[in-house]
Amino acid sequence: MASVHESLYFNPMMTNGVVHANVFGIKDWVTPYKIAVLVLLNEMGRTGEGAVSLMERRRLNQLLLPLLQGPDITLSKLYKLIEESCPQLANSVQIRIKLMAEGELKDMEQFFDDLSDSFSGTEPEVHKTSVVGLFLRHMILAYSKLSFSQVFKLYTALQQYFQNGEKKTVEDTDMELTSREEAERKMEKEELDVSISTSCIHTKESETLPAFISQTLSACSVSKSGLGYSHTNVSKNREEEVSCSGPLSQKQAEFFLSQQASLLKNDETKALTPASLQKELNNLLKFNPDFAEAHYLSYLNNLRVQDVFSSTHSLLHYFDRLILTGAESKSNGEEGYGRSLRYAALNLAALHCRFGHYQQAELALQEAIRIAQESNDHVCLQHCLSWLYVLGQKRSDSYVLLEHSVKKAVHFGLPYLASLGIQSLVQQRAFAGKTANKLMDALKDSDLLHWKHSLSELIDISIAQKTAIWRLYGRSTMALQQAQMLLSMNSLESVNAGVQQNNTESFAVALCHLAELHAEQGCFSAASEVLKHLKERFPPNSQHAQLWMLCDQKIQFDRAMNDGKYHLADLLVTGITALNSIEGVYRKAIVLQAQNQMSEAHKLLQKLLIHCQKIRNTEMVISVLLSMAQLYWRSSSSTIALPVLLQALALSKEYRLQYLASETVLNLAFAQLILGIPEQALSLLHMAIEPILADGAVLDKGRAMFLVAKCQVASAASYDPPKKAEALEAAIENLNEAKNYFAKVDCKEQIRDVVYFQARLYHTLGKTQERNQCAMLFRQLHQELPSHGVPLINHL
């Protein structure tokens, strides 16, 4: 393989088929592709301004930069790119290259001699310091350094390059002609078949059957041959691309690495796939194993596929090569070696922390702190302090580390670290139950730092944080507003045209919140559109794909539970558990409870409660307590449910989780209804129903209105007949509203309970026709969703 590259690419650092380590010591070298680009530049200079229109010249100028910086491409592809910009110039370039390749060696010599004339004269065609001028000078210098044997090999490679391009052009032309002929033949055949079928209407069926079979077989053979032909051409195209890609020059390699790194950050879908990118990087490292930046991009690429071993290997190689090449020591003197070592340990700690290897991360972090203290590097120590908080954030005194880190970051002028520290503090205070106005004031101070220093990534994180905080506090309208604000923002960073902006984790988080909020309101088509956009923007192999995967699984689970399809919900639990174990166990307990497997559900909820209390997941603790209370009701143990509900209410009030507090009050009202005190339950409902109707999910709104109707009916038992009839009419209106809410989320089980209750009320009021309609609807739903033996009235 090396000998092939030696004959095609004339790198002076390659001798006897062996590539030297310092392959990028030469800035550039001459290849057949670059000769073709030089011909293009020469023709552009020779063509007058009147011969090429302004729009064509503008398109050519836009084409030049990727041609100069990108890797080598085939001649046919180069012709196609030039023809799309200026067909006239493409013809001139093709003729010029043909004359040079089919001529003699002296034609190529004369061409390079004439290139120097571009810089001569009082008004030269090309300025020496321009991008094109620098490229021309590099090519002239590289060509002048070639020996005679290398010049001869270059000319031979140019001839081969031209012949391959001509062969590809002829094949493309033949393919077009063949496809046209096949289309014409197919049309003629169809016309012939129609005429034959018309003339043979009165023939026997036994005579027409063999002809039909033969036509079918011939059509199949034609389609198979067409498929084989296209597959052969695709494989040939790939082989040509591989044969054209050799050792890149320094500029080409740097351009490739910077382009892929930018795409990985801004729009991962536009970057090469992990396998393709790794193949290109391996090819690059084969010619220069000490290219440190390639090892670092390999590290980022391995992180995409969660490959622990390869990412660690590439990261260590990056810092090893950084020290070996002396890049750090040249810029920082003798201190450069120690700087590389401490930042290598710091990056290794971050890598282990990302994969959940906390003990290894702590050991690497201690090593980084030791080296940074010896070198008195305050910036590195600040980064170490931030990672110390990340490793110990579950401890009660972790906020002390965080506050100290923010103060030190401000003191040393590190706005990025200071802002991250502030946002981490806000997140911690939100989980600790601080008021929303104080948290928003802190985020406002953080936003001032972002806009002052143009930290666009942190602006996105701040808005996503606000979205999550508003959802935590149960204010879905404010969360929706913040999510839409992030979606409507443009990134402050300049990215290329066609590259998506804000393709970061915060953007994925905001979109997931948006999908869940739409699903809660029964807008499942809108939620599916958001998820579809997420899948396109963050493919399954991307690093943030787990966010939308979990969101999608949760929405599907809720829809299956609402529809009464518990077997489908049980299947979805496995996927949820793989992405989030706590959420998976909680959903498994809900499914068991719906299937009347009370003892198994209770065991799971008890274990989950102990675990969540241990890790201080207050939101999940309250949700588990509410599920346990509902389990006690269904087991006819409503008195045991009261202390559990009071514990949940105390926690939700302490941590200011307003929506969970309102849901807990609803459950307390239902407990009072079961205990026979509906008046107190109704007064409790008036306190809790407003936040639910304002910011609650559609399903919770329906449950709240259903409970109000139950309490109204229970309270009307002691009323006079006229007042009782009026109360029952009001209860029927509330039941209609509840039924509309349940219909939005297709919750058939709750609709069945509502129409059953309505039928009873209509019977009491003597409305036979309405009663019969509700009874018929109940019968249809009851046959579709058979009851599990639980009294219908005991459902909340």
Side-chain angles (χ1 to χ4, degrees), residues 317-529:
H317 269 289
Y318 165 69
F319 283 102
D320 287 345
R321 297 315 188 269
L322 208 62
I323 296 171
L324 287 173
T325 55
E328 285 290 318
S329 60
K330 290 177 183 177
S331 57
N332 297 294
E334 294 180 359
E335 177 59 24
Y337 296 103
R339 187 175 187 273
S340 294
L341 288 173
R342 56 181 174 269
Y343 277 102
L346 179 60
N347 278 273
L348 192 62
L351 177 65
H352 284 305
C353 187
R354 182 187 180 114
F355 287 109
H357 308 153
Y358 297 115
Q359 291 183 351
Q360 292 92 328
E362 194 169 351
L363 291 173
L365 196 58
Q366 289 174 0
E367 180 70 13
I369 292 171
R370 184 185 63 79
I371 303 174
Q373 285 176 339
E374 290 176 358
S375 306
N376 201 22
D377 188 347
H378 295 287
V379 175
C380 185
L381 285 171
Q382 278 308 114
H383 285 279
C384 294
L385 189 58
S386 300
W387 280 105
L388 267 180
Y389 162 72
V390 173
L391 289 174
Q393 58 183 335
K394 298 298 181 183
R395 295 186 308 210
S396 58
D397 59 342
S398 60
Y399 71 93
V400 178
L401 274 176
L402 197 53
E403 290 177 351
H404 184 64
S405 172
V406 172
K407 291 176 183 176
K408 285 289 186 180
V410 173
H411 175 71
F412 290 111
L414 301 171
Y416 194 92
L417 276 181
S419 176
L420 279 178
I422 292 172
Q423 297 198 45
S424 298
L425 268 176
V426 167
Q427 188 180 34
Q428 192 183 59
R429 298 289 168 83
F431 289 134
K434 300 298 179 183
T435 55
N437 59 339
K438 292 182 179 179
L439 299 180
M440 294 303 158
D441 286 341
L443 285 176
K444 183 184 69 176
D445 297 336
S446 177
D447 289 340
L448 291 176
L449 277 175
H450 303 157
W451 292 107
K452 182 179 178 181
H453 298 280
S454 298
L455 301 172
S456 60
E457 185 180 353
L458 293 183
I459 294 171
D460 299 345
I461 293 174
S462 177
I463 297 176
Q465 184 104 286
K466 291 175 187 175
T467 306
I469 288 172
W470 284 123
R471 279 207 75 193
L472 179 68
Y473 287 160
R475 299 299 179 92
S476 59
T477 308
M478 294 299 297
L480 190 64
Q481 181 190 22
Q482 292 295 327
Q484 290 175 343
M485 184 187 298
L486 178 57
L487 298 184
S488 62
M489 280 187 61
N490 290 321
S491 175
L492 297 179
E493 297 182 9
S494 58
V495 293
N496 297 328
V499 174
Q500 297 281 1
Q501 296 179 343
N502 293 335
N503 266 27
T504 55
E505 184 181 9
S506 54
F507 197 81
V509 168
L511 280 172
C512 288
H513 280 304
L514 205 60
E516 289 179 355
L517 288 168
H518 279 90
E520 285 176 0
Q521 300 305 317
C523 305
F524 294 113
S525 59
S528 63
E529 286 295 323

Side-chain angles (χ1 to χ4, degrees), residues 739 751-759 774 777-778 781:
K739 185 167 65 175
I751 294 174
R752 180 188 64 180
D753 294 350
V754 169
V755 296
Y756 168 79
F757 207 60
Q758 278 184 319
C774 291
L777 184 59
F778 167 76
L781 292 171

Side-chain angles (χ1 to χ4, degrees), residues 189 192-193 196 209-221:
K189 187 176 180 181
L192 185 62
D193 290 342
I196 289 173
L209 187 60
F212 170 73
I213 293 174
S214 64
Q215 287 177 8
T216 306
L217 290 175
S218 63
C220 290
S221 63

Side-chain angles (χ1 to χ4, degrees), residues 242 274-284:
V242 171
S276 302
L277 181 56
Q278 194 60 44
K279 184 178 179 181
E280 293 294 330
L281 290 172
N282 291 339
N283 186 42
L284 191 62

Side-chain angles (χ1 to χ4, degrees), residues 121-136:
T122 55
E123 292 184 0
E125 298 173 358
V126 179
H127 293 283
K128 291 184 177 182
T129 56
S130 65
V131 176
V132 175
L134 289 171
F135 177 74
L136 288 174

